[in-house]
Amino acid sequence: MCLSGSVHSRSECLCEHGTQAGWPADSLKWDQKTFPTQGDGAVAHLLYKMIFLTALPLFWIMISASRGGHWGAWMPSSISAFEGTCVSIPCRFDFPDELRPAVVHGVWYFNSPYPKNYPPVVFKSRTQVVHESFQGRSRLLGALGLRNCTLLLSNLSPELGGKYYFRGDLGGYNQYTFSEHSVLDIINTPNIMVPPEVVAGTEVEVSCMVPDNCPEMHPELSWLGHEGLGEPAVLGRLREDEGTWVQVSLLHFVPTREANGYRLGCQASFPNTTLQFEGYASLDVKYPPVIVEMNSSVEAIEGSHVSLLCGADSNPPPLLTWMRDGTVLREAVTESLSLELDEVTPAEDGVYACLAENAYGQDNRTVGLSVMYAPWKPTVNGTVVAVEGETVSILCSTQSNPDPILTIFKEKQILATVIYESELQLELPAIMPEDDGEYWCVAENRYGQRATAFNLSVEFAPVILLESHCAAARDTVQCLCVVKANPEPSVAFELPSRNVTVNETEREFVYSERSGLLLTSILTLRGQAQAPPRVICSSHNLYGTKSLELPFQGAHRLMWAKIGPVGAVVAFAILIAVVCYITQTRRKKNVTESASFPAGDDPPVLFSSDFRISGVPEKYESERRLGSERRLLGLRGEPPELDLSYSHSDLGKRPTKDSYTLTEELAEYAEIRVK
């Protein structure tokens, strides 16, 4: 009990012998049945310390009361009790010793200390007249002569809550209303005290405390909804620092995150009555975040919309952060945070992390985003020019998701393929001229297809193909030389019997055309009145030289074979006679003409070109041809016997070669007629 007055300061006191101070003995002693034992540890130590600290002030108060003093009163500043029960308000007062009254009276007022205000009388020892609200509810427990003014109020109701003042009446003018008062609080719920911070995984103590200031009724405490938390321990009946009493029950447990928001109750009941009072408290358990909601691996088509969701459970709410490769993409203090990606690209493919954190810890999880897209245009890294016999390695690579099927084609033939890989290596050992050409690298998956073309150029020495030959028809011999080589070779025709060599640069005499790796050169001999001469085709490039005597095919060849040597001599003699006759006839006719040939005639020459340019008048073409023939005549010292003429065939109107057209089909032949 806390006593207050003009001399004594407020202090804690504990009275074990209520009879000495006028207090009921059972209301001042510790409840021996519930007093904490040595096993209660810290709580027992606290109570023993309370007893020690309050013993000295109590001893001093008892000595002061025996000596007397001046006007003063001591009572608890506040006291509480359950509705329907009773309450004992402990009170002591003092007055000067010299007054020595014969009889001591006292009055308790409600809510006002001044009689002139006519406050409600709670108790009056002189007349027993009280306010109607307190009739049958109030009585004095202490002996006023012993300066004990303890008041008992029964059958409490809410309207009785308020301030209570005591006035001492020693007779005559010796009356004094003490300013010290006690505030009565009428309650109907137990008080559950939860620590200000409850952390998951850390042991916590929750207490239920109810007033126990009614000497006639003592409460019993029990816990409601504590299953799974722990077993309660009833500490007992304890005295507070101002002399009031409380019943306390403790509940020890280790909370989990699931206990957050749990409603824990305490019930106070009074035996042999129907009075029961319940109070509840919600547990505010603090715990670190745990990510409870997140996308699994996400697949999205390039250009689509993607939403990544992250939700965390924590108390207090966490700071959620979306990150990728250490870069913060979005963050907010919330329990759920989404990351919106519009028109995703392959560059956004990767791993995304969600981080949740608060003051008690953190958690993080990741999700993979796979952006599906068609293959990119393949790239080819490798040899594009190689020499015959070398090994060629070509690498074709691309990028796609999922990985593509890669295939290398040449002329619709599959050379190599891999499935679900981004690279394809093509090895061509001992490369041959047949490997020259256009290749395709094709990449495809279920989202699309892309292809890249590349050319492989094989360089090799000239090869004169077997289709090269000379053909004779009537008075014309036509020679065809087909050469396959890379790089482009030079081609020359040799006539050993006439000691003449003509190469392709002399376009007045040789026409050449290249198609792919094939070079076709055409020479036409006209006016061939005797056995055809030998013709040798020679081709050369930086890798070598190849020569071939062109075989003859056709009518002239068959004719010379049939008549044999004798027939050949006879035919030759007849031919000489005819030539002599024609020569003599011409000499007689042109006896007056100059030895030189006039313009416009066709003198016998070794070579004569009928190669014409489209659109050029015949006059200029004849002059050009005549000039060419005269240049050739200047190369020889004797008159020629044959008139050789070359003709050009226009190949410009031939159809364009495709991958299925043979080179031979493009060749055009010119005729040379023998005059």
Side-chain angles (χ1 to χ4, degrees):
M1 183 179 71
C2 181
L3 304 178
S4 60
S6 59
V7 176
H8 308 296
S9 62
R10 294 174 182 262
S11 62
E12 297 177 347
C13 65
L14 174 64
C15 183
E16 292 185 347
H17 305 286
T19 54
Q20 294 181 358
W23 300 71
D26 61 345
S27 65
L28 298 177
K29 293 189 295 182
W30 295 103
D31 190 339
Q32 299 298 323
K33 294 184 293 182
T34 59
F35 194 84
T37 62
Q38 186 176 1
D40 289 309
V43 177
H45 176 73
L46 177 62
L47 294 177
Y48 296 142
K49 185 176 180 181
M50 249 175 89
I51 294 173
F52 176 77
L53 293 176
T54 57
L56 289 178
L58 175 62
F59 180 71
W60 183 82
I61 291 172
M62 292 174 63
I63 294 177
S64 299
S66 63
R67 293 184 307 170
H70 50 78
W71 295 101
W74 297 267
M75 64 185 70
S77 59
S78 63
I79 192 169
S80 60
F82 282 107
E83 182 180 358
T85 64
C86 66
V87 64
S88 172
I89 303 175
C91 175
R92 284 188 56 81
F93 69 99
D94 198 7
F95 51 84
D97 293 338
E98 63 270 15
L99 295 181
R100 299 176 185 272
V103 179
V104 178
H105 290 281
V107 180
W108 279 93
Y109 291 117
F110 182 63
N111 279 340
S112 178
Y114 305 110
K116 63 180 180 179
N117 293 336
Y118 300 102
V121 176
V122 178
F123 174 82
K124 189 173 185 179
S125 62
R126 187 182 293 275
T127 62
Q128 299 296 320
V129 177
V130 298
H131 188 270
E132 60 181 0
S133 300
F134 296 95
Q135 289 182 358
R137 292 184 172 186
S138 62
R139 63 189 175 95
L140 202 64
L141 294 181
L144 295 177
L146 298 177
R147 306 180 185 185
N148 188 330
C149 52
T150 300
L151 176 68
L152 178 66
L153 297 175
S154 303
N155 193 19
L156 296 176
S157 57
E159 66 270 13
L160 300 186
K163 299 177 181 179
Y164 288 82
Y165 296 87
F166 178 72
R167 177 180 176 82
D169 183 4
L170 306 183
Y173 293 103
N174 295 320
Q175 297 181 15
Y176 190 86
T177 299
F178 301 99
S179 60
E180 292 74 13
H181 60 277
S182 184
V183 178
L184 175 61
D185 184 21
I186 309 299
I187 64 174
N188 53 23
T189 57
N191 182 23
I192 299 177
M193 291 183 293
V194 180
E197 184 176 72
V198 178
V199 181
T202 303
E203 186 179 37
V204 66
E205 177 185 276
V206 179
S207 62
C208 178
M209 184 177 296
V210 297
D212 189 11
N213 296 309
C214 179
E216 301 171 356
M217 304 169 65
H218 297 285
E220 293 182 354
L221 299 180
S222 60
W223 288 93
L224 304 175
H226 70 284
E227 296 81 3
L229 297 179
E231 292 300 321
V234 178
L235 184 58
R237 187 168 184 261
L238 301 179
R239 181 173 179 173
E240 297 180 303
D241 57 354
E242 290 190 332
T244 57
W245 294 85
V246 293
Q247 281 276 6
V248 179
S249 179
L250 304 179
L251 184 63
H252 291 265
F253 62 95
V254 177
T256 62
R257 67 176 58 247
E258 291 76 17
N260 182 47
Y262 194 85
R263 199 161 180 258
L264 187 63
C266 177
Q267 183 184 75
S269 59
F270 292 86
N272 302 321
T273 69
T274 60
L275 298 176
Q276 285 186 346
F277 303 93
E278 296 179 357
Y280 292 89
S282 294
L283 297 179
D284 184 19
V285 181
K286 309 295 185 183
Y287 54 91
V290 173
I291 295 178
V292 296
E293 183 182 12
M294 196 167 187
N295 304 77
S296 57
S297 296
V298 177
E299 288 188 358
I301 300 176
E302 182 180 10
S304 63
H305 176 83
V306 174
S307 178
L308 301 180
L309 180 63
C310 178
D313 175 35
S314 71
N315 188 24
L319 172 65
L320 289 180
T321 305
W322 275 107
M323 304 179 68
R324 180 171 182 258
D325 297 333
T327 302
V328 175
L329 304 177
R330 189 184 181 194
E331 65 180 358
V333 177
T334 180
E335 294 182 350
S336 181
L337 184 66
S338 64
L339 179 63
E340 305 296 333
L341 302 175
D342 295 324
E343 298 182 357
V344 292
T345 65
E348 294 173 292
D349 187 288
V351 177
Y352 292 76
C354 177
L355 175 65
E357 58 183 336
N358 64 11
Y360 301 94
Q362 66 176 21
D363 189 21
N364 67 82
R365 284 178 59 185
T366 60
V367 58
L369 172 60
S370 182
V371 180
M372 317 303 286
Y373 57 97
W376 291 359
K377 186 177 180 63
T379 58
V380 177
N381 298 318
T383 304
V384 293
V385 177
V387 179
E388 181 180 10
E390 292 182 345
T391 298
V392 174
S393 178
I394 298 173
L395 178 66
C396 176
S397 62
T398 186
Q399 182 176 329
S400 69
N401 192 13
D403 285 333
I405 299 175
L406 275 174
T407 306
I408 294 180
F409 293 89
K410 182 177 187 288
E411 296 178 354
K412 299 183 180 180
Q413 180 182 359
I414 296 177
L415 303 180
T417 185
V418 291
I419 298 176
Y420 304 138
E421 293 187 20
S422 59
E423 292 184 350
L424 173 59
Q425 187 100 13
L426 175 63
E427 295 284 345
L428 297 175
I431 195 168
M432 298 182 297
E434 290 75 14
D435 296 321
D436 189 284
E438 184 181 61
Y439 292 72
W440 285 90
C441 179
V442 180
E444 61 180 329
N445 63 14
R446 65 176 179 268
Y447 298 103
Q449 181 187 82
R450 296 296 297 274
T452 297
F454 62 96
N455 290 308
L456 173 60
S457 178
V458 180
E459 296 186 343
F460 55 94
V463 176
I464 300 178
L465 303 185
L466 296 179
E467 56 261 35
S468 301
H469 64 280
C470 288
R474 290 185 287 179
D475 59 348
T476 301
V477 174
Q478 193 174 57
C479 294
L480 174 69
C481 185
V482 181
V483 181
K484 187 175 183 180
N486 190 21
E488 182 177 354
S490 62
V491 176
F493 291 95
E494 299 180 15
L495 280 71
S497 61
R498 295 186 173 67
N499 196 23
V500 175
T501 300
V502 181
N503 58 48
E504 59 184 343
T505 60
E506 300 179 66
R507 292 194 175 275
E508 296 92 342
F509 315 109
V510 178
Y511 174 76
S512 297
E513 181 183 68
R514 183 174 177 84
S515 176
L517 299 179
L518 296 180
L519 177 65
T520 303
S521 295
I522 303 170
L523 174 67
T524 302
L525 304 176
R526 293 188 303 167
Q528 188 66 29
Q530 57 183 3
R534 293 172 53 213
V535 178
I536 297 174
C537 179
S538 179
S539 181
H540 171 78
N541 67 6
L542 60 87
Y543 296 105
T545 301
K546 186 71 173 179
S547 297
L548 178 68
E549 182 174 348
L550 302 180
F552 272 84
Q553 299 177 2
H556 285 287
R557 179 182 179 188
L558 294 177
M559 180 187 68
W560 293 112
K562 287 180 181 180
I563 64 177
V566 177
V569 172
V570 173
F572 185 70
I574 295 172
L575 179 61
I576 292 176
V578 171
V579 170
C580 291
Y581 174 76
I582 295 173
T583 303
Q584 291 296 329
T585 303
R586 287 183 177 179
R587 285 179 180 177
K588 292 179 180 180
K589 184 178 180 179
N590 301 317
V591 67
T592 59
E593 293 180 359
S594 174
S596 62
F597 297 101
D601 290 347
D602 293 326
V605 295
L606 181 61
F607 292 99
S608 176
S609 176
D610 284 341
F611 176 77
R612 301 189 178 206
I613 300 177
S614 177
V616 177
E618 292 186 4
K619 176 181 178 182
Y620 300 106
E621 180 63 20
S622 300
E623 293 177 355
R624 182 193 62 78
R625 190 172 62 184
L626 179 58
S628 300
E629 294 169 351
R630 289 176 177 175
R631 284 196 300 273
L632 287 175
L633 285 174
L635 299 176
R636 298 292 180 265
E638 56 186 21
E641 297 180 3
L642 295 177
D643 183 6
L644 302 182
S645 179
Y646 299 85
S647 176
H648 168 66
S649 178
D650 185 4
L651 305 178
K653 297 182 181 179
R654 295 292 296 172
T656 304
K657 177 181 181 297
D658 53 32
S659 58
Y660 304 100
T661 304
L662 295 176
T663 303
E664 294 81 348
E665 297 175 0
L666 297 176
E668 289 288 348
Y669 299 93
E671 290 188 5
I672 299 178
R673 299 183 180 275
V674 179
K675 297 181 180 179

